[in-house]
Amino acid sequence: EAGVVQSPRYKIIEKKQPVAFWCNPISGHNTLYWYLQNLGQGPELLIRYENEEAVDDSQLPKDRFSAERLKGVDSTLKIQPAELGDSAVYLCASSSGQGAVRNEQFFGPGTRLTVL
Amino acid sequence: GESVGLHLPTLSVQEGDNSIINCAYSNSASDYFIWYKQESGKGPQFIIDIRSNMDKRQGQRVTVLLNKTVKHLSLQIAATQPGDSAVYFCAEGSIIQGAQKLVFGQGTRLTINP
């Protein structure tokens, strides 16, 4: 079974440019997460979806970040405009959802963003 | 570039030795804890979890110990192998929340020397 798929794996852009990341979760997983991981630190949750509904976006900087999961499957995270401080790895994860015996989160490989 | 002043704790052990990685968690209300392993260029991978009603849980070559009194978590890896080299993160969460809102600690880089 395929794991969480993310693309692109690497992205280099100049500041003030827009950028988008795509995630395809594990088939059947209702819950999807976007995390930000700075160098040497643990992942920090940006947003969590239950199907197509964003149920926790309290940590998402809404002035420049947006996300969508229109059909409750794939998701896109967008930054517009990007700033130097946005350079990080953006991780997507998915899980079966609340109610599962062990609601393990499965992570994708991440997209490494470099803003110049 | 790298963050100025950021220091990732490191641990180096000889292949075949046992290793212990420690983690202090912050929220006394957390009742679910997970250890993740992250290899270079990959996302975190689940290793083992433990609920707060337990003090110890064992897996294959790994043991997690939980001390709720001092809010401390440790991961023991027995007979380390080169493939164990990675960054290890602890994470805390809540069973009532379905373990969906995880807070990750700072990682520890484990290096296995041949």
Side-chain angles (χ1 to χ4, degrees):
Chain A
E1 179 182 320
V4 176
V5 179
Q6 291 188 248
S7 69
R9 291 294 314 277
Y10 305 91
K11 189 73 176 179
I12 301 174
I13 61 172
E14 294 189 346
K15 62 181 180 181
K16 300 185 181 179
Q17 293 300 306
V19 64
F21 315 122
W22 176 80
C23 173
N24 178 242
I26 292 174
S27 177
H29 280 190
N30 298 324
T31 307
L32 184 145
Y33 314 76
W34 282 103
Y35 286 89
L36 166 73
Q37 186 174 28
N38 286 306
L39 185 66
Q41 298 184 22
E44 301 171 41
L45 181 68
L46 289 172
I47 189 168
R48 173 168 63 93
Y49 281 93
E50 292 290 343
N51 298 304
E52 64 275 8
E53 181 183 0
V55 296
D56 184 355
D57 63 355
S58 57
Q59 301 302 313
L60 190 71
K62 299 181 184 64
D63 57 336
R64 297 184 300 108
F65 287 64
S66 64
E68 59 183 15
R69 194 185 184 198
L70 293 176
K71 296 183 178 179
V73 181
D74 294 0
S75 178
T76 302
L77 177 69
K78 297 179 182 178
I79 308 175
Q80 183 171 9
E83 297 178 352
L84 294 176
D86 296 331
S87 295
V89 175
Y90 292 82
L91 293 164
C92 179
S94 70
S95 67
S96 302
Q98 197 158 2
V101 174
R102 187 181 76 197
N103 194 27
E104 180 180 341
Q105 295 185 26
F106 294 83
F107 285 83
T111 296
R112 180 176 296 277
L113 174 67
T114 302
V115 182
L116 303 176
Chain B
E2 294 194 9
S3 301
V4 175
L6 187 65
H7 172 67
L8 186 66
T10 60
L11 175 66
S12 293
V13 299
Q14 290 297 121
E15 182 178 352
D17 286 353
N18 300 332
S19 66
I20 300 176
I21 301 171
N22 296 302
C23 173
Y25 64 92
S26 57
N27 189 350
S28 57
S30 295
D31 58 4
Y32 181 64
F33 306 90
I34 311 172
W35 280 100
Y36 282 91
K37 172 186 180 183
Q38 187 172 24
E39 297 175 273
S40 180
K42 298 182 179 180
Q45 179 183 13
F46 175 96
I47 301 174
I48 190 168
D49 59 359
I50 187 169
R51 297 191 178 196
S52 59
N53 60 353
M54 303 173 68
D55 297 323
K56 178 180 179 179
R57 187 161 189 234
Q58 288 183 294
Q60 186 176 13
R61 288 200 305 116
V62 295
T63 300
V64 55
L65 299 178
L66 175 63
N67 185 330
K68 296 180 288 294
T69 302
V70 294
K71 293 191 286 187
H72 183 269
L73 196 65
S74 68
L75 176 70
Q76 301 177 0
I77 305 175
T80 53
Q81 303 168 358
D84 295 329
S85 292
V87 177
Y88 290 80
F89 293 97
C90 65
E92 57 182 299
S94 167
I95 291 294
I96 289 179
Q97 294 179 346
Q100 293 177 312
K101 188 152 189 172
L102 297 179
V103 176
F104 285 78
Q106 186 183 28
T108 296
R109 181 179 301 281
L110 176 65
T111 301
I112 308 301
N113 301 313

